[in-house]
Amino acid sequence: MSQGNHHEAIARSASQRRADELRRVPEALRPLLQSIPERPRLLLITILSDPVIDTPVPFERRRGMALGMIYMAGKRDELTPPEVSTLVGYVLDLPA
């Protein structure tokens, strides 16, 4: 496999992973995430996408990271107060 094809394969794999993660976020929440800049949005989607994934990061830490990212997006006026409340409610309702 040439280096160009290898990079294309990695990019396709990453794109597919992001699409899969977004599908695991409840559809009603997806539009709320669109106002957040790309990098923090992708990180938040990863955290929100599957609360029970097998990861070395404990669930409570991931929950805390998600809440912090949501509150910071609100402080930067990327999310309105109702959007922050909706996302926070979702995160707090996730089963540990």
Side-chain angles (χ1 to χ4, degrees):
M1 178 183 288
S2 75
Q3 191 166 2
N5 287 342
H6 180 70
H7 291 299
E8 289 173 22
I10 291 172
R12 278 193 307 275
S13 175
S15 178
Q16 183 61 52
R17 188 186 77 242
R18 285 192 299 269
D20 291 344
E21 288 173 344
L22 185 58
R23 275 193 292 278
R24 288 192 299 264
V25 172
E27 197 169 334
L29 299 180
R30 294 177 200 166
L32 304 182
L33 302 169
Q34 296 311 307
S35 60
I36 300 172
E38 182 180 24
R39 187 163 173 82
R41 180 179 66 244
L42 294 177
L43 289 170
L44 182 56
I45 288 170
T46 297
I47 291 170
L48 293 178
S49 72
D50 195 344
V52 293
I53 54 176
D54 186 18
T55 174
V57 180
F59 175 77
E60 287 302 322
R61 181 163 179 219
R62 283 184 284 137
R63 178 182 284 186
M65 292 184 331
L67 292 172
M69 294 171 75
I70 292 165
Y71 287 127
M72 286 308 299
K75 283 192 170 295
R76 292 188 305 264
D77 294 326
E78 296 162 0
L79 294 171
T80 66
E83 290 171 335
V84 169
S85 294
T86 299
L87 288 168
V88 166
Y90 171 74
V91 171
L92 293 177
D93 286 343
L94 291 172

